[in-house]
Amino acid sequence: MKKLLISPSKMALGEQESQIYQNILKQSTEISLNLMAVKVENHPEDFLGWCYELLDVAKNRINFDLLDDNQLPTVKKLQDLLISAISLLQLKTLRIAPWPVICGFIEQHKDILALEEQLKLTSYLAPMRSTPLKEMIAEDRLAFTGKHAASLDTSVYNFDVEWFASTKSAKGFHQLLADLPGAFDDALANIPAEGDVSEQDYQAFMIGYLSAFAGTDEKPNLAPATRLLSMRRPDVFTPISNNRLDALCQALGISRLNNRDFERYWSDVVMSVRTMPWFAMTTENSELEEQLASIKALLPCFFYYADKDTADNSNYIKLLNKPVRSSRSGGTKTVRRGKESAEVLVDRALADESIPDHIRDKRDSIITEVEKGRSVDETIGLMRAIFG
């Protein structure tokens, strides 16, 4: 372990990496006796590999039974520092890596990234990028804006809607969105659905977005705005979230944005990503590359730290595995849906050519059950079982 801890001092670290190393070393010193009890055989020669190795020690191999209660926050801080360092180091490769390397990294890590699930989200939203928010059913609006809810039918929304920057903590934004979706539509209308997006287009969006909050007690924050922009034009706008902002800004070599830096978001984030070599030199030699090229501004999201637990922590997976309990047994009540949402979800399912006419004739009955909270697939399955 001692050899592992001191090995970065022999690496050619830049000023930024050296500071990160010193911060990590400071936390390690406070639990040095516990760390020294861990046997280490892998000694990476690069700083990124070193961070991964030490993080594995701090998460999985240190003996937590021997730690004092007052040492647990130190271990947690050490883990957080290492996770942030890994995100930063991986994001920094975006500055110089060519398109094939970017795609190779994503494909190599597709399982821990839950890549298939994330691409299902972008594919689902693609046809509605120009659809006004006020014309969407409530569930589609949640998917577009990045807020999970128990009402999302897993047979329809087979993905976590909070990939690419969750907005679940932006309560004021979601309240305004529910009350005045047209105001946000007016802002988004300034962003062309295809073709080039200019700074003037973005500034017009920014004015419209800020105007949506005028006369209210809610403050317009940048992060939810970037989610709206990135879902409308995932080939132009990179979403940001507060818990990952430090790593992104450090990787781009810019001072940290605050939640009101609307002008700097364009100049420091959008333009920085746009000038990276892979961004302008995308090729589409495979189906995956074609998918990634269509959402290329979202690709930095795949370079944040992820591990084997990331995919399992998906809200979709959690909802899928959540036991359904009857309110009669004292458990959680089934979440009801609005009639409009139920009708749209059922009609989408019944549009499948494999659905026989005698099941389509039961449309009203299916809608009634879906309104009550039963999933669309489950309801249609029951109808098939009953009516053959």
Side-chain angles (χ1 to χ4, degrees), residues 16 69 131 149 206 265 267 297 337 385:
Q16 192 176 45
D69 289 344
T131 303
M206 182 174 63
Y265 169 72
S267 60
R337 297 186 183 86

PDB file of all heavy atoms in Angstrom, residues 16 69 131 149 206 265 267 297 337 385:
ATOM      1  N   GLN A  16      -2.452  20.701 -12.103  1.00  0.00           N
ATOM      2  CA  GLN A  16      -3.799  20.353 -11.677  1.00  0.00           C
ATOM      3  C   GLN A  16      -3.830  18.971 -11.024  1.00  0.00           C
ATOM      4  O   GLN A  16      -4.417  18.781  -9.952  1.00  0.00           O
ATOM      5  CB  GLN A  16      -4.747  20.391 -12.885  1.00  0.00           C
ATOM      6  CG  GLN A  16      -6.219  20.322 -12.546  1.00  0.00           C
ATOM      7  CD  GLN A  16      -7.073  20.454 -13.796  1.00  0.00           C
ATOM      8  OE1 GLN A  16      -6.821  19.835 -14.831  1.00  0.00           O
ATOM      9  NE2 GLN A  16      -8.101  21.292 -13.717  1.00  0.00           N
ATOM     10  N   ASP A  69     -16.046   5.503  14.136  1.00  0.00           N
ATOM     11  CA  ASP A  69     -17.155   6.254  13.544  1.00  0.00           C
ATOM     12  C   ASP A  69     -16.697   7.601  12.991  1.00  0.00           C
ATOM     13  O   ASP A  69     -17.183   8.051  11.955  1.00  0.00           O
ATOM     14  CB  ASP A  69     -18.258   6.475  14.582  1.00  0.00           C
ATOM     15  CG  ASP A  69     -18.997   5.183  14.917  1.00  0.00           C
ATOM     16  OD1 ASP A  69     -18.867   4.218  14.140  1.00  0.00           O
ATOM     17  OD2 ASP A  69     -19.691   5.149  15.952  1.00  0.00           O
ATOM     18  N   THR A 131     -41.948  19.145 -30.603  1.00  0.00           N
ATOM     19  CA  THR A 131     -43.299  19.160 -30.047  1.00  0.00           C
ATOM     20  C   THR A 131     -43.364  20.140 -28.884  1.00  0.00           C
ATOM     21  O   THR A 131     -42.539  20.062 -27.971  1.00  0.00           O
ATOM     22  CB  THR A 131     -43.703  17.753 -29.545  1.00  0.00           C
ATOM     23  OG1 THR A 131     -43.590  16.823 -30.616  1.00  0.00           O
ATOM     24  CG2 THR A 131     -45.122  17.760 -29.008  1.00  0.00           C
ATOM     25  N   ALA A 149     -40.784   9.935 -12.024  1.00  0.00           N
ATOM     26  CA  ALA A 149     -42.021   9.844 -11.247  1.00  0.00           C
ATOM     27  C   ALA A 149     -42.527   8.412 -11.302  1.00  0.00           C
ATOM     28  O   ALA A 149     -42.286   7.682 -12.273  1.00  0.00           O
ATOM     29  CB  ALA A 149     -43.077  10.801 -11.786  1.00  0.00           C
ATOM     30  N   MET A 206     -32.432  32.462 -24.102  1.00  0.00           N
ATOM     31  CA  MET A 206     -32.108  32.879 -22.745  1.00  0.00           C
ATOM     32  C   MET A 206     -33.086  33.957 -22.263  1.00  0.00           C
ATOM     33  O   MET A 206     -33.586  33.907 -21.136  1.00  0.00           O
ATOM     34  CB  MET A 206     -30.668  33.405 -22.703  1.00  0.00           C
ATOM     35  CG  MET A 206     -30.189  33.825 -21.336  1.00  0.00           C
ATOM     36  SD  MET A 206     -28.421  34.273 -21.366  1.00  0.00           S
ATOM     37  CE  MET A 206     -28.455  35.692 -22.473  1.00  0.00           C
ATOM     38  N   TYR A 265     -22.234  29.983 -20.169  1.00  0.00           N
ATOM     39  CA  TYR A 265     -22.546  28.623 -20.605  1.00  0.00           C
ATOM     40  C   TYR A 265     -22.334  28.492 -22.105  1.00  0.00           C
ATOM     41  O   TYR A 265     -21.755  27.508 -22.576  1.00  0.00           O
ATOM     42  CB  TYR A 265     -23.991  28.255 -20.244  1.00  0.00           C
ATOM     43  CG  TYR A 265     -24.451  26.965 -20.897  1.00  0.00           C
ATOM     44  CD1 TYR A 265     -23.959  25.735 -20.470  1.00  0.00           C
ATOM     45  CD2 TYR A 265     -25.352  26.980 -21.969  1.00  0.00           C
ATOM     46  CE1 TYR A 265     -24.358  24.548 -21.083  1.00  0.00           C
ATOM     47  CE2 TYR A 265     -25.754  25.804 -22.580  1.00  0.00           C
ATOM     48  CZ  TYR A 265     -25.259  24.594 -22.141  1.00  0.00           C
ATOM     49  OH  TYR A 265     -25.647  23.431 -22.754  1.00  0.00           O
ATOM     50  N   SER A 267     -20.415  30.551 -24.145  1.00  0.00           N
ATOM     51  CA  SER A 267     -19.023  30.811 -24.545  1.00  0.00           C
ATOM     52  C   SER A 267     -18.054  29.774 -23.985  1.00  0.00           C
ATOM     53  O   SER A 267     -17.101  29.373 -24.665  1.00  0.00           O
ATOM     54  CB  SER A 267     -18.603  32.217 -24.093  1.00  0.00           C
ATOM     55  OG  SER A 267     -18.698  32.339 -22.680  1.00  0.00           O
ATOM     56  N   ALA A 297     -23.245  16.221 -28.612  1.00  0.00           N
ATOM     57  CA  ALA A 297     -23.031  17.160 -27.510  1.00  0.00           C
ATOM     58  C   ALA A 297     -23.314  16.528 -26.150  1.00  0.00           C
ATOM     59  O   ALA A 297     -22.944  17.091 -25.112  1.00  0.00           O
ATOM     60  CB  ALA A 297     -23.891  18.407 -27.695  1.00  0.00           C
ATOM     61  N   ARG A 337     -53.206   7.577 -13.242  1.00  0.00           N
ATOM     62  CA  ARG A 337     -52.791   8.431 -14.349  1.00  0.00           C
ATOM     63  C   ARG A 337     -53.969   9.265 -14.818  1.00  0.00           C
ATOM     64  O   ARG A 337     -55.121   8.882 -14.647  1.00  0.00           O
ATOM     65  CB  ARG A 337     -52.268   7.591 -15.523  1.00  0.00           C
ATOM     66  CG  ARG A 337     -51.031   6.787 -15.206  1.00  0.00           C
ATOM     67  CD  ARG A 337     -50.500   6.098 -16.453  1.00  0.00           C
ATOM     68  NE  ARG A 337     -49.348   5.268 -16.119  1.00  0.00           N
ATOM     69  CZ  ARG A 337     -49.432   4.020 -15.698  1.00  0.00           C
ATOM     70  NH1 ARG A 337     -50.625   3.451 -15.593  1.00  0.00           N
ATOM     71  NH2 ARG A 337     -48.354   3.332 -15.397  1.00  0.00           N
ATOM     72  N   ALA A 385     -55.311 -12.774 -22.408  1.00  0.00           N
ATOM     73  CA  ALA A 385     -55.562 -14.002 -21.647  1.00  0.00           C
ATOM     74  C   ALA A 385     -57.055 -14.265 -21.497  1.00  0.00           C
ATOM     75  O   ALA A 385     -57.500 -15.415 -21.571  1.00  0.00           O
ATOM     76  CB  ALA A 385     -54.899 -13.912 -20.275  1.00  0.00           C
TER      77      ALA A 385
END
